[in-house]
Amino acid sequence: MPGANRETSELLRDRATAVRPDFRVTDSNWDAVTRLCADLDGLPLAIELTAFRLRTLSVEQVVNRLADRFTLLTGGSRTVRPRQRTLRALIDWSYELCSPAERLLWNRLSVFAGGFGLDAAEEVCADRSDEGVAGDEGVPAHEVLDLLDRLVAKSVVLPAGHEGQGPPRYRLLETIRQYGQERLAESGEEERLLRRHRDFHLTLAERTADNWYGPGQEEALARLRVEHPNLLAALGHDDDPQATLALTAALRFHWCAGGFLGEGRRQLERALAAAPEPTPARARALCAASWVALLQGDHAAADQWLAEAGQLGEQQDDPVVGAHVMSFRGSLAAFQGRLEEAVGLYEHAVAAHMAAEGGASAVFPLFQLAVARISLRDPRAVEAGRQAVALAEAHGERWGRAHALLTLGYDAQERGDLEESLALMRAGLAIERGFSEPLSAALMLETLAWATALRGEYERAGLLLGAARGLWRDIGTGISAFGPLMAEAHARCEQSIVRALGPEAYERALVIGGGHDSPGRTIDHALGTGTPAPAPVQAPAPAQAQAQAPSILSGREREVAALVAMGMSNRQIAAELTLSPRTVDFHVGNIRAKLGFGSRAQVAVWWARQEPPTS
């Protein structure tokens, strides 16, 4: 375990032994000891005070009583200064050293769970002109940054680092946060601040949901992931059941694409039970709950919720709800093996999304329509898949585009073109890497394993199935949730691997393949771009994945690749082609993803070898 935890556990052991000589850290209490030290934020004074309580309480009892830590952690050695005899006295002293505005911000920041960014602190904690708080007792919005800097300098607020390439984040130690919560409750502001906290995260979630089918999906999903503790705290504020319902619905991509299916199911069921009124928020929450249930393989619940959502959508004349209900009914039919019915529902859903939301969200039913047509051996499957890719490209959308590329790869596999299949699936996986999203990664790794086994690379296919199995286990679902045909394809793949390698070698491959600790690293290993796997895995040579590249790249992407090969920057390419720099960024990222390259230089070398026309 980390050194800081080891040091604090050793300090606890030494101080506890001084007052209780028979105290030992053993296998039976080790988990409780490490949890206790973590809950005490590693604060030496808190650990010293805790040691005195271990004269009469077990470690487990102390852990269970920490909710009221300021009452629990009193007393201690009489040789220390009075203000250091209790944790509360020490924090009281630190609090008194702060200015009134700093104390007020400290109190208000305590509503955040897990951490916060500057934007959240300014929106939630600053005073507003319509609330009548002014003068020396307030926190004007333009002073939040300066006050936050001062609290950081005093170690009341701690920098929490950057999440990826996002802005800095901050946090309060849990002990400091609980103290601030008590002060906030005494001030009479608690309810107003909790409501603001909930409203801020509702706005964040709704913005993500409303703008999902466009640029910035990876960043939006990452932001929701890092805000997960705050989202749960906001959902726990039950003053307005309709607002809670709206938040659970707006978090649908967090629940489903972010890998929080179990948590999403619990929150949606709780919110739906608390707000039975036939409101627009309920209709959208029912759609979200249906999606979660479908991905969990709970067809009965999905069917029930879709029936009510469809009825409410009609009563409220809400075309967006109607489009989503049609899509999910198509998914339900497909997952139950009713493929002809699913195709008809998906076709209607595509038209409904086009009419209701301007087209971008039609990517979702389009790639599923392609899958259903593939299963029916309908030659129009590739048309739907390509339409989904083109629609995603036109809107700068990447999540649905990755799924559409996977679908085209699956189509190529079913047609027997394994080289094209692998190239397309790898292109989809390369895009998916940026999301670090377990459910899509598991589905893509499964499908890649099937194509890999058909090529005769059985050990590698076993590793891929192991990677998928680990992800399925983490999110609480499996390939069988996606219908009997998918389950049958998985079974055929397993049988071919066992025949080729034997059951013991297959089980070993599953274990090794499932040994990666994140979806991103799992994808890196699958693409051969990460640290070498523990077992020998022969990745396809780059030329194999790139041989099909001219047919994969769009016309615009070929134009961009030619200019990259000429040494132009993205900004120069944007000027040359009259595009925005952001659009060129997306094109260059897509080119690298499709070709499996890590740098622009590799694109340039590949282009020179291909010698394609530049017009």
Side-chain angles (χ1 to χ4, degrees):
M1 47 183 320
N5 285 348
R6 186 180 301 110
E7 291 170 8
T8 54
S9 63
E10 289 174 354
L11 176 61
L12 178 67
R13 180 199 62 200
D14 293 343
R15 296 298 182 266
T17 303
V19 298
R20 181 179 152 189
D22 64 337
F23 178 81
R24 297 288 185 273
V25 177
T26 65
D27 289 342
S28 62
N29 68 7
W30 174 251
D31 287 344
V33 167
T34 54
R35 180 182 165 194
L36 176 60
C37 292
D39 287 350
L40 293 171
D41 300 315
L43 294 173
L45 174 62
I47 291 171
E48 294 263 7
L49 295 170
T50 299
F52 281 90
R53 288 299 185 194
L54 291 175
R55 291 177 298 181
T56 52
L57 298 173
S58 70
V59 178
E60 292 80 3
Q61 287 174 313
V62 173
V63 169
N64 292 335
R65 289 169 179 257
L66 269 186
D68 189 11
R69 64 187 64 195
F70 296 119
T71 299
L72 177 68
L73 302 183
T74 59
S77 173
R78 300 298 177 188
T79 64
V80 299
R81 287 172 289 183
R83 70 166 176 259
Q84 292 182 336
R85 287 182 186 165
T86 72
L87 190 59
R88 175 179 289 281
L90 182 64
I91 299 178
D92 278 339
W93 180 57
S94 298
Y95 192 78
E96 293 303 317
L97 293 176
C98 293
S99 70
E102 290 168 352
R103 294 175 203 163
L104 189 55
L105 183 59
W106 176 347
N107 298 347
R108 293 176 178 180
L109 290 173
S110 69
V111 298
F112 291 104
F116 57 90
L118 177 61
D119 61 337
E122 290 177 330
E123 183 66 25
V124 174
C125 299
D127 291 311
R128 300 172 184 172
S129 59
D130 60 347
E131 292 178 334
V133 180
D136 294 337
E137 297 301 318
V139 177
H142 68 273
E143 292 185 11
V144 170
L145 176 58
D146 181 57
L147 291 170
L148 187 60
D149 280 340
R150 285 192 248 159
L151 290 176
V152 170
K154 293 178 178 179
S155 298
V156 173
V157 174
L158 302 179
H162 294 244
E163 293 298 327
Q165 298 301 313
R169 290 183 64 81
Y170 307 88
R171 68 184 180 93
L172 300 175
L173 292 176
E174 187 57 29
T175 302
I176 299 298
R177 178 175 177 250
Q178 287 192 15
Y179 182 91
Q181 287 176 323
E182 290 188 10
R183 291 286 191 163
L184 183 65
E186 293 168 1
S187 73
E189 287 195 315
E190 183 178 31
E191 183 62 29
R192 179 165 60 91
L193 267 292
L194 289 172
R195 191 163 54 249
R196 278 198 196 176
H197 176 272
R198 192 265 324 285
D199 291 345
F200 173 83
H201 290 95
L202 174 57
T203 299
L204 175 68
E206 288 183 333
R207 184 168 63 243
T208 297
D210 293 343
N211 299 317
W212 176 254
Y213 292 100
Q217 290 170 311
E218 295 101 319
E219 295 83 0
L221 201 62
R223 175 67 187 270
L224 292 180
R225 187 176 291 120
V226 77
E227 297 290 3
H228 187 69
N230 278 313
L231 297 172
L232 296 185
L235 288 167
H237 185 54
D238 292 329
D239 71 315
D240 184 348
Q242 289 298 321
T244 301
L245 200 59
L247 180 54
T248 59
L251 287 172
R252 57 188 177 274
F253 292 104
H254 181 59
W255 307 136
C256 296
F260 293 96
L261 289 179
E263 185 65 52
R265 179 72 176 265
R266 286 189 292 273
Q267 295 293 343
L268 283 158
E269 287 183 336
R270 186 176 70 89
L272 287 166
E277 299 82 8
T279 61
R282 182 172 180 84
R284 298 192 181 212
L286 286 164
C287 286
S290 301
W291 190 14
V292 170
L294 282 167
L295 296 177
Q296 292 179 319
D298 189 347
H299 298 159
D303 190 31
Q304 177 185 340
W305 284 327
L306 283 172
E308 185 182 351
Q311 184 179 23
L312 289 179
E314 289 181 8
Q315 291 173 355
Q316 297 161 7
D317 194 22
D318 189 333
V320 173
V321 168
H324 287 289
V325 168
M326 192 69 69
S327 287
F328 293 135
R329 281 179 173 160
S331 300
L332 178 60
F335 294 175
Q336 291 180 329
R338 297 178 282 117
L339 296 173
E340 291 86 354
E341 181 183 346
V343 165
L345 289 165
Y346 284 139
E347 289 172 345
H348 283 95
V350 170
H353 277 280
M354 291 283 191
E357 297 183 291
S361 64
V363 170
F364 185 73
L366 263 174
F367 72 73
Q368 294 185 86
L369 170 62
V371 173
R373 284 178 174 173
I374 291 167
S375 300
L376 291 171
R377 303 193 181 280
D378 185 335
R380 295 176 300 163
V382 70
E383 174 190 341
R386 287 175 179 169
Q387 187 180 353
V389 171
L391 190 59
E393 286 179 345
H395 290 87
E397 197 275 354
R398 289 170 58 79
W399 179 78
R401 184 166 178 270
H403 281 275
L405 287 170
L406 174 75
T407 301
L408 289 173
Y410 181 43
D411 177 71
Q413 173 190 305
E414 292 299 290
R415 290 187 283 103
D417 191 340
L418 296 181
E419 296 304 318
E420 181 183 358
S421 174
L422 287 169
L424 287 163
M425 290 180 184
R426 287 170 61 85
L429 261 177
I431 295 172
E432 179 59 31
R433 179 200 289 137
F435 288 88
S436 194
E437 191 255 282
L439 191 142
S440 295
L443 186 59
M444 292 181 182
L445 290 166
E446 273 275 357
T447 315
L448 182 62
W450 305 343
T452 302
L454 289 172
R455 282 187 84 196
E457 297 179 37
Y458 297 109
E459 184 178 16
R460 180 168 175 74
L463 293 170
L464 291 168
L465 285 184
R469 185 177 73 168
L471 294 173
W472 290 131
R473 182 178 59 244
D474 290 345
I475 56 181
T477 189
I479 191 65
S480 60
F482 294 85
L485 291 179
M486 292 294 178
E488 290 167 11
H490 173 87
R492 286 195 301 271
C493 181
E494 275 197 319
Q495 291 164 4
S496 68
I497 297 171
V498 171
R499 282 196 302 268
L501 303 180
E504 291 184 3
Y506 173 53
E507 185 58 35
R508 177 175 176 272
L510 288 176
V511 172
I512 294 172
H516 309 304
D517 60 1
S518 72
R521 290 185 181 178
T522 299
I523 291 173
D524 283 341
H525 284 285
L527 295 176
T529 58
T531 305
V537 175
Q538 182 179 0
Q544 293 174 342
Q546 296 147 20
Q548 303 296 324
S551 63
I552 296 174
L553 297 185
S554 67
R556 178 64 81 184
E557 287 169 347
R558 289 196 292 273
E559 289 180 321
V560 172
L563 296 177
V564 168
M566 293 170 62
M568 287 189 180
S569 68
N570 284 8
R571 193 167 295 278
Q572 290 170 326
I573 294 171
E576 177 71 16
L577 299 178
T578 320
L579 300 171
S580 72
R582 189 177 183 86
T583 299
V584 175
D585 290 343
F586 275 105
H587 283 314
V588 172
N590 291 343
I591 292 166
R592 289 169 55 183
K594 286 181 176 181
L595 300 178
F597 289 148
S599 70
R600 298 167 68 90
Q602 289 175 297
V603 175
V605 170
W606 172 82
W607 185 261
R609 289 175 177 170
Q610 297 293 316
E611 296 184 358
T614 58
S615 59

